[in-house]
Amino acid sequence: MATFLYRLGRFSFRRRHVIALFWVALLALAGVGAAGAPAAGPTSFSIPGTEAQKAFDLLEERFPGASADGATGRVVFKAPAGEKMTDAENKAIVRKAVEELSGGSEVARVTDPYEGGGVSQDGTIAYTSVSYKVSGLELEESSRDALEGAAEDARDAGLTVEIGGDALQAVPHTGAAEVIGIGVAAVVLVITFGSLLAAGMPLLTAIIGVGIGVGTITALAGTLELDSTTPILATMIGLAVGIDYALFVVSRYRAELAEGREREEAAGRAVGTAGSAVVFAGLTVVIALVGLAVVNIPLLTKMGVAAAATVAVAVVIALTLVPALLGYAGRRVRPVGEKSGLLGGRSGKDGNERTPQRPNMGTRWASFVVRRPVAVLLLGVVGLGAAAVPAASLELGLPDDGSQPTSTTQRRAYDLMSEGFGPGFNGPLVVVVDAEGSDDPQAVFQRTSDDVKALDDVVAVAPAAPNKAGDTATITVVPESKPSSAATEDLVHGIRDAGRDITADTGADVLVTGATAMNIDVSQKLNDALVPYLILVVGLAFLLLIVVFRSILVPLKAALGFLLSVLAALGAVVAVFQWGWLSGLMNVEQTGPVMSMMPIFMVGVVFGLAMDYEVFLVTRMREAHVHGEQPSQAVVTGFRHGARVVTAAAVIMIAVFSGFIGSSESMVKMIGFGLAIAVLFDAFVVRMAIVPAVLALLGKKAWWLPKWLDRVLPNVDVEGEGLRTEDDRKDEDRELVRA
């Protein structure tokens, strides 16, 4: 592989006009496609195999036109102090709002609080529910404006009015997160390279790659029914890995220049060596993202595949466009040790790496770890183990309006409903009774209502509402506890247990659905998929790393170190978002269950990114070992060349993810914090401390591989052994003798 990539790098350097034109044309094509693409149609969110989804599908079939999966809006009214919502004046204000809300073209139905039991017992709070024909993301702005306008008119008339439900759900926006990340990345790159031009290349190529990826996703969004969050995920991952991969290649190019090579040769060798690491690092990210298909949630699968495609584009750009741009830059990109005159650096041979210099920070740190591997290993493992302790208390769930900041109208509406009717009114359950095969459907409906009323944690059970055929009915159940509580989850399981008894006696199917039940089923599905996903992703990457490092223990150490860092990161997430530690610093207004997608999402994204650092850092050690250095010295050599680059890459990644912590959306905030802390743990504790300590303790055993396996495995030559010339070997022999 190194030889092929070496030739590709030289070709791209030589034929830079062709390569640059190709990528510019591809970017333009993606841009034109995105600009001319029709607006994305409805995206069907389905969770195959869950009871809640089966019930939704049944409702669509038996209650045509009911818009079971349509958006809902809940307008909550509170009377001024000393007044009641049943007062004639306040009643007139509410009925006027109901009339205004009924006129929208996307509105399916609006309830009257005075006819449907929508007034609290003390008479101070009332609510009306608005059901729409389309989902929250499909609602036209005019419908949202009408909803907010009716609420504003009621406010002007003297009532306190807030709006809940998913009708106000808008397409997520990332705000300034990427701008913050790019700004920090630019500063880090300038410090790393000591050159504005060299620092600008990774940024430029990453932006081009993300532009092509996101443009293509936007162009195909309607055809493939991609969710609006897919471009955000692709941007987040593509930007982070795009900068990192280009950073690896440019850093190796400058190191090759410092060895005295001509620029075209240096570009070829940079792509042949660092490019090999980029290919395998990219493969691990792609495996992790595509592996999300194991969860069997179509939307999550599409998001993973789209993000994986953006990563693949970043890999190819690093192998072709980066050496092409290095060709354009010429002598303005300087060898390691030289800074541009603009930054106060010196040019000339004084900057050559062969000139005796004080050991860099990476060399000093690696030498320290090699001398005291046991102490460093114990400190790292115990520290991460302590951070992982809160993960034992992990509670999973999906966010609702109760997790929104108190400044939002959704959260205030949630609190008003809890005050007037109890927290369970914010998450009613829908029991669907399919009595098509029953002799007496009405008796089945009545028995179901009676059995549900007898369960604990039930506040109210609405009368059964049958369809026109009379063979299927819905029963609305109001829990006593809030939607995200363990008690409500127990109630859902209790209703399903009772439903199985009814099915056994009558043959009718009893299903539980609604937003709360769907959230519970999604959480369970994600939880059940975590272990198979871990086995698949870690297993495939383990096999891939065996090929890369030609070792059993090094990939095993990489996988175990990753699991330790993810557990520590999950512990930190639990401590902040579930227990409330440092919640003020993180601006976490409401603690509660951790988003059910977090564990599997962190495993997928962080595993791929962690392997980037593992591959780039350890391939340098493997390269030094293959070229004749002793294991402990190879560790130091790997850090001398790679520590600065890996540190810069990790800081950039942390900056990109940390930009999302400032979001007012609790889910986005949690994802940003979780990914940032996971990269921090993995890069600086696992890769920078535990990895060199373990390799120092293992010595030559680290690179052991059974002879039969050595014969079977393909030789991908990641360390570039096939690129060495006779002069290289003589130089290395002299270096070894001198050492």
Side-chain angles (χ1 to χ4, degrees):
M1 174 176 285
T3 303
F4 168 75
L5 293 178
Y6 165 78
R7 292 171 181 165
L8 178 62
R10 293 195 64 167
F11 172 83
S12 300
F13 187 94
R14 249 189 349 264
R15 304 293 185 186
R16 46 189 172 272
H17 301 313
V18 175
I19 297 296
L21 184 62
F22 169 79
W23 285 109
V24 169
L26 204 58
L27 179 62
L29 187 64
V32 170
T43 56
S44 56
F45 181 77
S46 62
I47 314 295
T50 62
E51 181 174 315
Q53 184 63 49
K54 183 180 177 182
F56 265 125
D57 295 340
L58 184 64
L59 287 174
E60 288 289 336
E61 176 188 341
R62 303 286 174 83
F63 293 82
S67 304
D69 59 349
T72 58
R74 181 177 282 169
V75 184
V76 188
F77 307 89
K78 183 175 183 179
E83 298 182 18
K84 302 282 187 180
M85 290 305 304
T86 51
D87 294 346
E89 185 178 346
N90 292 334
K91 186 181 290 189
I93 295 171
V94 172
R95 286 200 157 140
K96 181 182 177 184
V98 170
E99 185 179 349
E100 287 181 29
L101 292 168
S102 303
S105 60
E106 294 182 317
V107 174
R109 59 189 173 277
V110 181
T111 63
D112 187 324
Y114 301 103
E115 296 177 2
V119 181
S120 64
Q121 285 188 350
D122 63 4
T124 60
I125 296 174
Y127 75 92
T128 178
S129 293
V130 187
S131 300
Y132 293 90
K133 301 173 184 176
V134 295
S135 68
L137 292 177
E138 299 171 67
L139 269 182
E140 295 181 0
E141 282 302 317
S142 58
S143 295
R144 292 195 184 92
D145 292 342
L147 182 62
E148 293 172 338
E152 191 59 39
D153 290 344
R155 285 192 196 102
D156 293 341
L159 299 180
T160 298
V161 187
E162 304 296 346
I163 307 171
D166 61 351
L168 293 184
Q169 180 182 7
V171 176
H173 297 287
T174 56
E178 279 85 0
V179 176
I180 295 170
I182 290 174
V184 174
V187 174
V188 172
L189 289 169
V190 170
I191 294 172
T192 302
F193 290 138
S195 165
L196 291 175
L197 184 63
M201 283 186 189
L203 290 175
L204 176 61
T205 54
I207 291 170
I208 290 174
V210 168
I212 292 171
V214 173
T216 304
I217 290 170
T218 304
L220 299 176
T223 305
L224 301 180
E225 294 187 1
L226 298 178
D227 185 74
S228 56
T229 56
T230 302
I232 296 176
L233 177 63
T235 300
M236 185 191 301
I237 305 300
L239 192 62
V241 301
I243 294 174
D244 279 5
Y245 296 162
L247 169 64
F248 295 162
V249 174
V250 174
S251 297
R252 187 57 185 256
Y253 172 76
R254 296 178 70 232
E256 295 292 338
L257 288 180
E259 293 291 329
R261 306 193 196 283
E262 293 297 326
R263 293 186 177 274
E264 183 178 327
E265 177 69 11
R269 284 176 174 259
V271 175
T273 51
S276 298
V278 165
V279 168
F280 283 98
L283 275 175
T284 59
V285 181
V286 169
I287 288 172
L289 291 170
V290 173
L292 290 171
V294 171
V295 184
N296 194 27
I297 296 179
L299 192 60
L300 195 59
T301 300
K302 292 175 184 178
M303 289 172 63
V305 171
T310 305
V311 172
V313 171
V315 170
V316 180
I317 281 181
L319 301 178
T320 57
L321 185 57
V322 169
L325 293 180
L326 290 171
Y328 282 117
R331 297 185 179 279
R332 285 170 290 182
V333 174
R334 302 172 184 274
V336 169
E338 293 187 26
K339 295 182 180 180
S340 67
L342 183 62
L343 294 175
R346 296 177 300 172
S347 60
K349 293 184 179 181
D350 288 343
N352 193 297
E353 204 174 41
R354 294 179 183 274
T355 304
Q357 295 178 345
R358 182 171 177 263
N360 62 21
M361 182 67 74
T363 302
R364 296 197 297 274
W365 170 250
S367 300
F368 170 80
V369 174
V370 166
R371 288 196 305 271
R372 296 176 178 81
V374 176
V376 173
L377 178 61
L378 287 176
L379 186 62
V381 171
V382 170
L384 290 180
V389 168
S393 304
L394 177 66
E395 295 177 8
L396 297 178
L398 288 177
D400 54 26
D401 285 348
S403 62
Q404 297 271 8
T406 53
S407 58
T408 63
T409 186
Q410 293 96 323
R411 172 61 186 279
R412 291 196 293 266
Y414 181 98
D415 292 341
L416 283 177
M417 288 296 296
S418 297
E419 176 188 339
F421 302 91
F425 267 78
N426 286 295
L429 306 174
V430 179
V431 178
V432 183
V433 185
D434 178 9
E436 187 178 36
S438 173
D439 296 333
D440 188 355
Q442 193 60 44
V444 175
F445 301 155
Q446 187 60 49
R447 176 181 169 178
T448 303
S449 295
D450 293 342
D451 287 359
V452 171
K453 285 178 184 177
L455 296 174
D456 294 334
D457 204 52
V458 173
V459 171
V461 177
N467 62 349
K468 288 183 179 179
D471 58 5
T472 307
T474 60
I475 301 171
T476 301
V477 180
V478 178
E480 184 177 353
S481 305
K482 64 181 182 179
S484 59
S485 68
T488 300
E489 183 175 348
D490 291 340
L491 175 60
V492 170
H493 293 313
I495 296 173
R496 287 172 175 170
D497 290 340
R500 278 188 280 273
D501 294 337
I502 294 171
T503 301
D505 294 342
T506 67
D509 282 338
V510 179
L511 308 171
V512 185
T513 189
T516 301
M518 181 67 84
N519 287 352
I520 291 170
D521 286 355
V522 170
S523 297
Q524 187 61 49
K525 192 176 183 69
L526 288 166
N527 195 40
D528 292 343
L530 183 59
V531 172
Y533 179 67
L534 262 175
I535 293 172
L536 173 71
V537 171
V538 176
L540 286 176
F542 179 74
L543 295 176
L544 189 66
L545 292 178
I546 288 177
V547 175
V548 174
F549 297 129
R550 307 196 74 77
S551 163
I552 297 292
L553 296 179
V554 171
L556 181 62
K557 171 263 311 166
L560 293 176
F562 156 74
L563 292 176
L564 188 58
S565 63
V566 165
L567 285 174
L570 277 176
V573 170
V574 169
V576 173
F577 292 90
Q578 189 175 310
W579 291 359
W581 293 6
L582 301 178
S583 57
L585 181 64
M586 296 293 170
N587 197 27
V588 177
E589 296 187 9
Q590 181 72 30
T591 59
V594 172
M595 185 180 65
S596 54
M597 196 179 291
M598 275 302 292
I600 204 162
F601 188 78
M602 285 179 64
V603 167
V605 176
V606 177
F607 182 78
L609 301 179
M611 292 306 103
D612 284 0
Y613 310 133
E614 176 76 16
V615 169
F616 189 76
L617 196 60
V618 180
T619 48
R620 271 293 197 167
M621 301 176 191
R622 167 77 181 169
E623 183 179 339
H625 179 67
V626 167
H627 292 174
E629 291 188 10
Q630 292 299 313
S632 59
Q633 184 57 38
V635 170
V636 176
T637 299
F639 267 76
R640 183 173 74 246
H641 291 295
R644 184 182 179 91
V645 178
V646 169
T647 300
V651 171
I652 290 169
M653 199 82 72
I654 292 168
V656 171
F657 293 144
S658 295
F660 293 86
I661 297 176
S663 172
S664 61
E665 185 69 35
S666 61
M667 184 171 67
V668 175
K669 184 192 295 287
M670 190 181 296
I671 289 174
F673 174 80
L675 294 181
I677 200 73
V679 171
L680 177 69
F681 287 154
D682 197 272
F684 293 107
V685 180
V686 174
R687 308 303 152 191
M688 291 289 187
I690 294 177
V691 166
V694 171
L695 290 177
L697 289 171
L698 290 175
K700 290 184 178 180
K701 295 177 184 177
W703 308 108
W704 171 78
L705 188 70
K707 291 183 179 179
W708 66 268
L709 187 57
D710 189 36
R711 290 193 298 269
V712 172
L713 290 178
N715 184 11
V716 294
D717 190 21
V718 175
E719 59 275 351
E721 174 67 14
L723 303 181
R724 292 202 304 157
T725 64
E726 188 61 33
D727 288 340
D728 293 331
R729 293 184 177 89
K730 290 179 180 178
D731 288 342
E732 287 166 8
D733 289 342
R734 283 194 292 269
E735 291 288 341
L736 288 173
V737 170
R738 193 176 298 120

